[in-house]
Amino acid sequence: METQIKLSLAPEGRRLEVIEINLPEDVKTMLSHLGLEVGEVIERTATMPLGDPIALHMGGQVFSLRKEVCEKMKVKVL
Amino acid sequence: MIEIVLSGRPNSGKSTLFNQLATKNVKVGNYAGCTVEKVTATVYEDGVPAFEISDLPGIYSLEPNTLDEKLAIEHLGSVKGNPIVFVLDGNNLKQELLIPLQLKKQGHQIIIAVNMIDEVRANKKILDLASMTELSGIPFFPISAKTGEGLGSLKKFLAKTSVQKAPHKEDSVDLQTIKSEVKKLTKFVQGDEDRLLARDRKIDSILLHRFFGAPIFLLVIFALFQSVFSWSAPFSDAIESGLGLLGDWISTMGDGLLISFLVDGIIGGLGAVLVFVPQIAMLFFLLGLLEYSGYLPRVAAMVDRFFRPYGLNGKVFIPLLSSVACAVPGIMSTRTIENERTRLIAILISPLMTCSARLPVYTLLIATFVPSKEGGWLSTAGFVMFGMYLVGIIAALAVALILNFFDLGRPRAKLEFIHFPHYRSPNWKELFRYVLSRVNLFLKKAGTIIAAMAIILWALLTFPKMDETILESQKAAIETSESSQEEKEAKLEDLQMHWDGMQLERSYGGRIGKFIAPVFAPIGYDWKLSIGIVASLAAREVFVSTIGTVFSLGEVDESSGGLMKALQEEKAPDGSLAYSIATCVSLLLFFAFSLQCISTIGIAKRETNSWKIPGIMFIYMFALAYGAAFIGYQLTRVLIG
Ligand SMILES: Nc1nc2c(ncn2[C@@H]2O[C@H](COP(=O)(O)OP(=O)(O)OP(=O)(O)O)[C@@H](O)[C@H]2O)c(=O)[nH]1
Ligand SMILES: [Mg+2]
């Protein structure tokens, strides 16, 4: 079985399935508008030079999210 | 006339389409949140008005998260029945179709413009839009707002639409149902490769590189300011010589009041400002290039971490960079910042960024007082100019740091994110039109505020006229004296200079200047500079036009080398040089920090709905300006003498 890791620790360039989002409901809703929801497949495309934020391909576009937010999500490397 | 509304997710190409349909020039940029307010214009079909079209800020959902989204959603709510053209990125239908389908269910009349069809093709995707239209009952139009493809048929269709009287509305809109409908529609998309994304990633790996990312960014910005300075120089020089020749030519026609008005008031004052048109055009052109590239939002993300200790975030970067052009659009673009607290700080510090109105002042001062050394493409003037931009940034960060200690009574955001668009090439035609429109705006400002101030100041500095009979009798005395012709001429010139200087000092303007001069004496300004400072409270460029008039009036020989030379050679009452490098440092610092711009005060009032913030802004900036100028002046005098 694949292991689940924090999104903030996920490798770049691999397909990731979102398993768990531990954030308040309203934040979850906002993320869903960007295409980030449990069950969706996303990808980490880049990391900013200071290690934070992290750029993610989700819902057909790329958005950067802060590391503190990514730490609250679990993904499975596909 | 019917109003048709453009809506869509941010950066989907609404404004590009708007500009194409209505032949307008609203701002387009390759980043989310470029448009922050509604703009309406008329679209003509065969020369007759066909419909009105409104461009709105982009939205990520129907639940607003920022001020600009709120404005867009409110407008959508207010136009029930009007056609809404939902502009979307054809590469990303799965996500982009959610909002238009929701709107349709809420009873709106929806037309879908599948934009960026050129990029869809580059991605080798095939969209069966006919089947989508059939299945959804919503008309789908393939377009490329950038190239103009498909706009003809969209426009024809829109010209025939009308307001729907009793729109069909479903009671509850379930997101799950919508998602399954989107799924059915996206079955008509062939190919799921995103070649552009792969290309973006390669570019990102360089521009966002762990070690090279920051140096590359600094290099880009440095090159930008060097170019503004050096590339525009030949054009500015040409304008300056042209105006000089014009002034000389007019001077040959006599020396009455009208001639003085034209030469000293109009050419001396207004002309001093017009010289800067090339620089301003260059600045807007280069900023425009950056805005089209898609690099800016990435820089915003890069600086996010760096900005956080200051109570700012990456999203502040674009307003701050816009403020390099002008604080007015800069302050407006803070609307896209989710975090209200951060937004307020951003509004308060935006005017510290070096705006294009400071450029004429800085350029004049640097060119006059900083010894120039050229090394090919680089120049000392360019370095000092770059330093002034840095001073602005450092001051902005310092003020933010201080403000961050206060409880500003504004909530923080729940989620902050930045959209990375595809890297794109500029839309050259649109960019040139944009630069032209900005130059136009500058000329308008020159033609109104600056011209009015130039005329008022010319009058203030010219009247009351002293009794010229005294001058005439003294001249006659010299003429009839025994000295040689050469001596006589020298004496006459001396007399005229003395007279002109006295006339200037005794004019209303001179008296006002002398009255306020003590306030500015500690920071090294005599009455001439003081009056320039006071006049420039209306707009910074007025400083240049005012001292242009002051020194043009006081000058004997009009063609003696222009304003720069007049400033360099100006004598204090004791006969020493009036201005030094210390004066220059003091003026540069004063202009870097003080809020001399009526428009900025106005926009801050509008964006915060009170006079409190603009009031605070004006006072803290004036205090900062005076303090910095004082320290700068005294320190430079001690160090350099
Ligand atoms: N390749 C391509 N680029 C386009 C097209 N339409 C717009 N663009 C580019 O997409 C970027 C965004 O365009 P805008 O018109 O500012 O988008 P917008 O929807 O008004 O964006 P916001 O105001 O931020 O919501 C710009 O760089 C445009 O040049 C198109 O059809 N094809
Ligand atoms: Mg727009």
Side-chain angles (χ1 to χ4, degrees), chain A residues 10-73:
Chain A
E12 272 176 33
R14 298 284 299 272
R15 285 157 53 82
L16 310 165
E17 187 187 328
V18 182
I19 303 294
E20 199 180 301
I21 305 179
N22 286 315
L23 287 159
E25 271 318 304
D26 49 357
V27 179
K28 270 194 195 170
T29 314
M30 282 160 66
L31 286 170
S32 75
H33 295 148
L34 306 180
L36 201 160
E37 278 178 283
V38 171
E40 291 289 339
V41 174
I42 62 171
E43 194 180 321
R44 177 172 177 162
T45 65
T47 310
M48 297 310 115
L50 296 174
D52 179 18
I54 293 164
L56 299 158
H57 182 253
M58 49 169 118
Q61 289 179 321
V62 176
F63 293 94
S64 74
L65 291 181
R66 286 189 170 177
K67 202 169 169 182
E68 63 195 37
V69 173
C70 296
E71 274 165 358
K72 306 265 167 57
M73 290 185 253

Side-chain angles (χ1 to χ4, degrees), chain B residues 248-325:
Chain B
D248 290 349
W249 180 69
I250 296 178
S251 300
T252 58
M253 295 196 280
D255 54 3
L257 254 189
L258 178 67
I259 301 290
S260 161
F261 172 73
L262 289 176
V263 174
D264 305 320
I266 302 294
I267 297 180
L270 204 53
V273 172
L274 289 185
V275 172
F276 297 97
V277 166
Q279 275 193 359
I280 283 163
M282 190 61 74
L283 178 71
F284 280 102
F285 174 72
L286 294 172
L287 283 179
L289 276 187
L290 269 186
E291 285 176 342
Y292 272 107
S293 66
Y295 182 44
L296 293 187
R298 288 164 169 90
V299 175
M302 273 203 284
V303 296
D304 182 70
R305 195 63 254 267
F306 174 76
F307 271 179
R308 265 182 251 173
Y310 302 92
L312 302 172
N313 62 38
K315 279 219 171 150
V316 171
F317 176 73
I318 288 182
L320 289 185
L321 189 79
S322 304
S323 299
V324 168

Side-chain angles (χ1 to χ4, degrees), chain B residues 9-16 18 26-29 31 33-37 55-58:
Chain B
R9 299 208 346 153
N11 209 49
S12 60
K14 300 173 291 300
S15 302
T16 311
F18 176 86
V26 298
K27 187 144 190 266
V28 166
Y31 57 90
C34 188
T35 307
V36 290
E37 61 177 352
D55 183 26
L56 292 179

Side-chain angles (χ1 to χ4, degrees), chain B residues 417-455:
Chain B
F417 60 87
I418 295 169
H419 172 231
F420 286 17
H422 289 307
Y423 286 104
R424 292 192 170 103
S425 62
N427 192 345
W428 294 105
K429 214 170 105 192
E430 203 174 40
L431 178 57
F432 282 117
R433 283 214 318 244
Y434 175 67
V435 171
L436 273 183
S437 74
R438 294 305 307 199
V439 168
N440 233 327
L441 212 67
F442 177 76
L443 289 178
K444 248 191 211 148
K445 192 172 173 189
T448 51
I449 289 200
I450 302 175
M453 290 298 285
I455 293 168

